[in-house]
Amino acid sequence: MLSTSADVLPVKHQLKTLMHNDIMLQAKGKKTIVYFFAPWCQVCNFSIDNLQNVYQKNPKIDVIAVALDFVDLDEVKKFTNNHQLTFPVALGNESVKADFQVQGYPSYYVLNGENAIIGRSLGYSSEIGLYLRSL
């Protein structure tokens, strides 16, 4: 189990985004929230807007959302369109899920600029809760 002290990322994963770009699940010199979700998850639907607000209001924080356990690409697109997400949304797989030990949705990981995991959480989080976890 990953702890909240500075763990190194388990493995660096390169994934495709909804925009067909390649993205690495890693920080690029600034704090990054990696948000694992499933499009069918009701808690994800309630909390993703809080994450979007944190991303828009805090230019010192990057966000990467990773879709897991989805049926097809259209399901992920519908989810992201419904919430008007402006951060990258990557298409995850079982390897990413296992390496990050994702056991439920949504799961959040906060990476520092050196790619160490400095925080993690599972379940609903308010906008202020997400922001505070990223400090």
Side-chain angles (χ1 to χ4, degrees):
M1 187 66 86
L2 298 170
S3 70
T4 56
S5 61
D7 289 325
V8 179
L9 278 177
V11 176
K12 290 186 180 165
H13 288 274
Q14 182 172 320
L15 300 173
K16 288 286 185 190
T17 68
L18 280 178
M19 305 303 288
H20 307 289
N21 298 320
D22 291 328
I23 190 168
M24 293 294 292
L25 290 188
Q26 65 182 34
K28 294 179 184 169
K30 64 180 176 177
K31 288 193 179 167
T32 301
I33 298 172
V34 180
Y35 173 89
F36 295 96
F37 74 97
W40 47 261
C41 165
Q42 289 303 311
V43 177
C44 300
N45 274 282
F46 291 125
S47 68
I48 193 85
D49 294 329
N50 296 331
L51 186 63
Q52 178 64 40
N53 290 338
V54 168
Y55 177 69
Q56 286 179 311
K57 294 177 182 176
N58 301 285
K60 293 183 180 183
I61 299 172
D62 272 342
V63 170
I64 303 170
V66 181
L68 292 170
D69 293 337
F70 53 92
V71 175
D72 58 30
L73 195 58
D74 287 337
E75 183 184 23
V76 179
K77 286 180 181 178
K78 182 178 177 186
F79 179 91
T80 60
N81 289 338
N82 285 344
H83 295 284
Q84 301 177 346
L85 304 179
T86 60
F87 46 75
V89 177
L91 303 172
N93 54 45
E94 288 300 314
S95 175
V96 170
K97 185 176 178 179
D99 287 342
F100 279 88
Q101 301 173 10
V102 176
Q103 298 177 7
Y105 302 110
S107 290
Y108 309 82
Y109 290 79
V110 180
L111 312 177
N112 67 14
E114 291 76 45
N115 287 308
I117 298 169
I118 58 171
R120 64 177 271 167
S121 182
L122 172 65
Y124 180 84
S125 185
S126 65
E127 182 178 337
I128 191 68
L130 284 166
Y131 176 73
L132 291 174
R133 284 183 185 92
S134 67
L135 294 179

